[in-house]
Amino acid sequence: MKAAPVGEGNSIQQQDGMIPIEDAVAIARLLGEVAGHDGDVNARKRLLMRRLKELTGADGWLWSMTFCDHSKEQPMSVGVIHEDLTQSQFDGWVEASQTCKLPPPEDAPLTVEMAKGRHYTRTRDQLVSDDDWYNHPTVKKYRLDRGIDDFLYSIYPLLGGVEMCSAIGLYRHVGREKFSDRRRRITHIVLSNVDWLHFAGLPEHRDNAVPQLTPTQRVVLVHLLDGRRRPDIAEAMSISENTVRDHVRSILRFYDAKDQLELVCKFRAGNGMDVEQE
């Protein structure tokens, strides 16, 4: 099952800063597919990122465990997995991010954000201006000359929040348009709802069970996000209202939501950190 790509702009008029319903449904389907996958941690990460790549129109992705030396404002990545980056592109990313004497211009602002100890998702132009990006020698040599340009980064804090994080990058080829704010918000919401996948594999969390919804519950979730009432869901799925009610209780408990409105807000408005607070 492939995720249908969304448009770049906010073509549908929104209220209260929420993303369109079709994006919320696509996110729910993506999360359900990943939760139902029986592979190991890396297989689940790869599946999630493949679907997120399709949903956001990215050309490639990278996921790493990153440590940060705040005294140098320089992140150091380990345990990297990636797809759809050529060997030259991946090598350029490693050299620029890890060994280059002149660090990429996004390193400092990323480190500043990471020091706040919270999950955040940023587009390239939120971190680095066009002038600073396209005139930076490291960017020219290790990114642009190898065919990689715009990026979207999501940083999820781990184990204390300021020294170690789960770092995800989505990339676009040279010549393509920038990632839109709509795609940034979709990315943030998806990655806000896979805490278990960020932490899975760490020694301190090796006993952490992977949460799952049943296939039926995932269908109910899609209907809930589409704004359907429980009687309508029961009719559409040919099940009783009592059964729907039981599934809804399980879904709300799973997502720590008190009611359907809060559940919808979790998917359509993120966790409150995908938009900077004034």
Side-chain angles (χ1 to χ4, degrees), residues 150-208:
D150 203 52
F151 66 74
L152 177 62
Y153 280 145
S154 193
I155 310 297
Y156 192 97
L158 304 171
L159 306 182
V162 298
E163 295 181 352
M164 184 177 181
C165 68
S166 175
I168 293 92
L170 293 162
Y171 301 91
R172 282 186 173 172
H173 292 155
V174 170
R176 291 201 59 198
E177 59 191 331
K178 301 175 184 177
F179 284 103
S180 66
D181 187 67
R182 180 176 174 183
R183 300 205 186 207
R184 178 188 65 82
R185 300 195 69 199
I186 289 171
T187 299
H188 187 87
I189 293 170
V190 168
L191 296 173
S192 291
N193 281 283
V194 288
D195 299 41
W196 56 272
L197 199 49
H198 291 291
F199 284 100
L202 293 178
E204 294 81 357
H205 295 79
R206 58 176 173 265
D207 296 326
N208 196 24

Side-chain angles (χ1 to χ4, degrees), residues 17 21 54 126 130 140 159 165 206 222 244 264:
I21 290 174
E54 293 163 3
Q126 286 181 305
D130 284 355
K140 290 180 179 179
L159 306 182
C165 68
R206 58 176 173 265
V222 170
V244 172
V264 170

Side-chain angles (χ1 to χ4, degrees), residues 260-276:
Q260 185 174 350
L261 177 61
E262 184 174 339
L263 177 71
V264 170
C265 285
K266 278 179 176 286
F267 277 90
R268 297 192 63 202
N271 68 356
M273 286 300 186
D274 64 319
V275 177
E276 283 288 346

Side-chain angles (χ1 to χ4, degrees), residues 240-247 249:
S240 71
E241 288 188 39
N242 285 337
T243 301
V244 172
R245 188 178 299 111
D246 290 339
H247 287 317
R249 286 196 189 107

